[in-house]
């Protein structure tokens, strides 16, 4: 399985040719009337030094708050599926776009894939994904963990509310075995 996306960035050939691996940084946040999601691709050489980076906007939706119900109806499922596929794809392949009608606007096509191509060249490059990271505010992180509408009043590891996790362990009520195991 793979994810394909045409990229509007103009990657410098020297950045691509000197890089051996990539880190992928995913994030999202609400601000200025929009909820935005983006992926930053950080190119690294064989000594793991940063060679360059590019930000790819994955989408945005007009909303005043990051309300999960609205995100769920619009972009969340697609983003979530994409993140799961990126996580299970150890390689990022970048290919020059050969479509004459679309090449100027989208000069590269990226594809996250489970196997490296058998051959690479100047038109087809492949990079090992070293790290997949998430950076955002706590609300977006909580949604990514499946803890919708979570706030600082909830434990970030389990499903206990503040009033429960502040109690001594023997006084906590209605705590599942799974949640209890996260505390030991």
């Amino acid at each position: 399985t793979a994810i394909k996306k045409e990229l509007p960035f103009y990657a410098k050939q020297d950045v691509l040719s000197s890089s051996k691996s990539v880190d992928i940084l995913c994030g999202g946040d609400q601000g200025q009337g929009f909820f935005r999601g983006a992926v930053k691709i950080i190119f690294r050489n064989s000594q793991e030094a940063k060679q360059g980076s590019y930000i790819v906007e994955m989408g945005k939706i007009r909303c005043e708050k990051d309300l999960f119900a609205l995100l769920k109806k619009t972009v969340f499922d697609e983003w979530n599926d994409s993140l799961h596929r990126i996580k299970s794809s150890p390689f990022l392949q970048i290919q020059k776009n050969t479509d004459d009608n679309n090449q100027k606007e989208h000069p590269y096509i990226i594809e996250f894939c489970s196997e490296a191509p058998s051959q690479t060249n100047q038109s087809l490059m492949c990079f090992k994904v070293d790290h997949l990271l998430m950076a955002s505010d706590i609300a977006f992180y909580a949604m990514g963990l499946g803890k919708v509408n979570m706030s600082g009043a909830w434990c970030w590891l389990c499903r206990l509310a503040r009033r429960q996790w502040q109690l001594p362990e023997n006084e906590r009520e209605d705590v599942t075995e799974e949640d209890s195991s996260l505390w030991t």
Side-chain angles (χ1 to χ4, degrees), residues 7-17 19 22-25 38-44 50-57 92 94 108 110 127:
L7 289 183
F9 71 69
Y10 289 85
K12 294 182 178 176
Q13 190 64 40
D14 61 326
V15 169
L16 297 177
S17 61
S19 298
V22 295
D23 292 336
I24 306 295
L25 178 62
V39 172
K40 183 175 188 175
I41 303 169
I42 304 167
F43 292 88
R44 300 201 180 273
K50 180 179 172 183
Q51 299 299 294
S53 64
Y54 300 94
I55 296 175
V56 181
E57 186 176 84
L92 172 69
I94 298 181
Y108 292 97
I110 65 167
F127 305 94

Side-chain angles (χ1 to χ4, degrees), residues 158-176:
C158 65
R159 293 174 289 262
L160 297 182
R162 171 180 244 147
R163 61 179 166 70
Q164 289 176 298
W165 58 259
Q166 287 186 328
L167 293 172
E169 192 169 342
N170 61 344
E171 294 179 27
R172 295 182 193 142
E173 296 178 12
D174 301 323
V175 178
T176 68

Side-chain angles (χ1 to χ4, degrees), residues 7-104:
L7 289 183
F9 71 69
Y10 289 85
K12 294 182 178 176
Q13 190 64 40
D14 61 326
V15 169
L16 297 177
S17 61
S18 65
S19 298
K20 302 296 180 207
S21 65
V22 295
D23 292 336
I24 306 295
L25 178 62
C26 305
D29 199 7
Q30 193 284 328
Q32 300 176 342
F34 287 94
F35 185 89
R36 293 175 176 84
V39 172
K40 183 175 188 175
I41 303 169
I42 304 167
F43 292 88
R44 300 201 180 273
N45 66 15
S46 57
Q47 289 81 37
E48 298 186 14
K50 180 179 172 183
Q51 299 299 294
S53 64
Y54 300 94
I55 296 175
V56 181
E57 186 176 84
M58 298 305 288
K60 68 180 178 181
I61 182 170
R62 180 176 289 283
C63 62
E64 295 304 314
K65 292 177 67 175
D66 33 334
L67 300 171
F68 183 71
L70 179 60
L71 297 175
K72 181 80 172 145
K73 287 180 185 176
T74 54
V75 296
F76 190 79
D77 286 340
E78 183 181 335
W79 287 354
N80 197 37
D81 290 344
S82 295
L83 289 175
H84 282 290
R85 283 183 275 166
I86 290 170
K87 182 181 173 193
S88 63
S89 302
F91 297 100
L92 172 69
Q93 181 175 297
I94 298 181
Q95 185 171 3
K96 285 190 177 179
N97 193 348
T98 57
D99 179 358
D100 290 335
N101 297 329
N102 209 8
Q103 188 177 22
K104 191 171 188 176

